[in-house]
Amino acid sequence: PKAVAAGRTDSGVHASGQVVHFDFMGHIPPKKWASALNGRLPKTIRVLESVEQDLEWHACYDAVYRRYRYTINNSRRSNLFLNPWSWHRYKFRLDENLMRSAMETLKGFHDFSTFQKVGSNRAHAWTTIQEIEIERNGDLIFFEIQASGFLYGMVRLLIGQLVAIGEHRMTLKEFEKNWKDRDRTTIREAAPPQGLCLIRVGYKSNIFSKAASFDTFPKSFINVLDPPINPC
């Protein structure tokens, strides 16, 4: 059967909370599909839970939000165990308070053309950012952004701009003016893909158990760095 995913990610981006649906008529009970598929899938893919839905239900079109997490390793030293899951940004200690202030301006329904990669076939660039937050834990910085939908390359372009603010290469006024004026010429850097992870897809009703829907890529899993670096 043809599988339909809740969202598409760039090459190199991870997904711990991807949702997929397919239509099937047969003798395998819905709850057995997870174990049946895991026995045949490569070790890099695991199905956490399988449930039955109405034939009209759609993994992509019925989603009311998608939530991404981006992880930055702000340590002086690289960490071989974290490199596949984070962006090692080490030259300056990032100012998370400035970045948090910049993020607050993004909430709500806006035209985010500034953060859309060239080549998108989307009809418009309007979407609603529902939640956006930042947390520092030692040398690790976690960004989480939840929206009704995302533009092509949106999160990686946005993170690149926020890092410029955190490194004091861009002011809050410049950032807000640029994205509200839809000025794509200011975008010079996109964050690399490995730090980005689709962690959750939300629907009007709870489809999966909480164990399968939340904390499938917990922050504590990658919180293994040294004490915070000294400010530059």
Side-chain angles (χ1 to χ4, degrees):
K2 181 181 178 181
V4 179
R8 184 184 68 177
T9 57
D10 296 344
S11 176
V13 174
H14 307 290
S16 66
Q18 181 68 277
V19 178
V20 175
H21 90 258
F22 59 87
D23 298 332
F24 175 77
M25 295 183 64
H27 300 294
I28 301 178
K31 292 184 178 181
K32 296 290 186 180
W33 269 103
S35 57
L37 289 170
N38 285 332
R40 292 163 175 79
L41 289 168
K43 292 182 179 180
T44 54
I45 302 175
R46 276 297 171 267
V47 180
L48 301 181
E49 190 174 3
S50 54
V51 298
E52 183 178 13
Q53 289 294 302
D54 296 334
L55 286 176
E56 294 77 17
W57 188 86
H58 198 283
C60 181
Y61 300 144
D62 283 353
V64 294
Y65 72 79
R66 293 161 184 81
R67 190 177 185 95
Y68 282 88
R69 178 183 298 151
Y70 197 95
T71 304
I72 291 180
N73 173 6
N74 197 205
S75 172
R76 289 288 194 188
R77 292 179 294 178
S78 177
N79 186 303
L80 299 180
F81 299 100
L82 290 180
N83 287 345
W85 321 102
S86 63
W87 182 14
H88 185 209
R89 197 73 183 187
Y90 59 91
K91 289 187 178 180
F92 303 98
R93 181 175 174 84
L94 293 170
D95 187 335
E96 69 271 17
N97 291 322
L98 268 181
M99 292 189 286
R100 184 178 293 110
S101 296
M103 292 162 63
E104 286 297 317
T105 69
L106 299 166
K107 289 182 180 178
F109 182 61
H110 302 288
D111 184 328
F112 291 106
S113 299
T114 307
F115 306 116
Q116 182 171 248
K117 280 187 177 180
V118 176
S120 172
N121 57 4
R122 185 177 170 130
H124 61 82
W126 290 84
T127 191
T128 302
I129 291 184
Q130 302 164 341
E131 296 179 18
I132 187 165
E133 56 190 49
I134 182 173
E135 174 188 344
R136 176 185 279 275
N137 192 335
D139 287 329
L140 292 179
I141 299 177
F142 302 101
F143 299 85
E144 289 199 13
I145 179 169
Q146 179 176 304
S148 57
F150 287 90
L151 312 178
Y152 176 45
M154 178 178 173
V155 180
R156 291 173 57 197
L157 290 171
L158 172 58
I159 296 296
Q161 295 286 281
L162 292 174
V163 165
I165 292 170
E167 293 178 346
H168 299 277
R169 294 184 286 111
M170 178 183 292
T171 67
L172 294 175
K173 287 184 177 179
E174 288 172 334
F175 171 76
E176 186 171 3
K177 182 180 186 301
N178 291 340
W179 80 258
K180 288 186 175 179
D181 289 349
R182 292 170 283 182
D183 186 359
R184 283 285 287 113
T185 63
T186 62
I187 303 291
R188 298 185 177 88
E189 182 179 30
Q194 72 273 10
L196 184 60
C197 184
L198 172 62
I199 61 171
R200 197 172 307 142
V201 181
Y203 299 92
K204 290 182 178 179
S205 59
N206 294 327
I207 296 171
F208 304 105
S209 66
K210 188 171 183 179
S213 302
F214 287 76
D215 298 326
T216 52
F217 185 48
K219 297 173 184 176
S220 58
F221 173 74
I222 52 178
N223 186 21
V224 293
L225 294 184
D226 296 331
I229 59 178
N230 294 324
C232 297

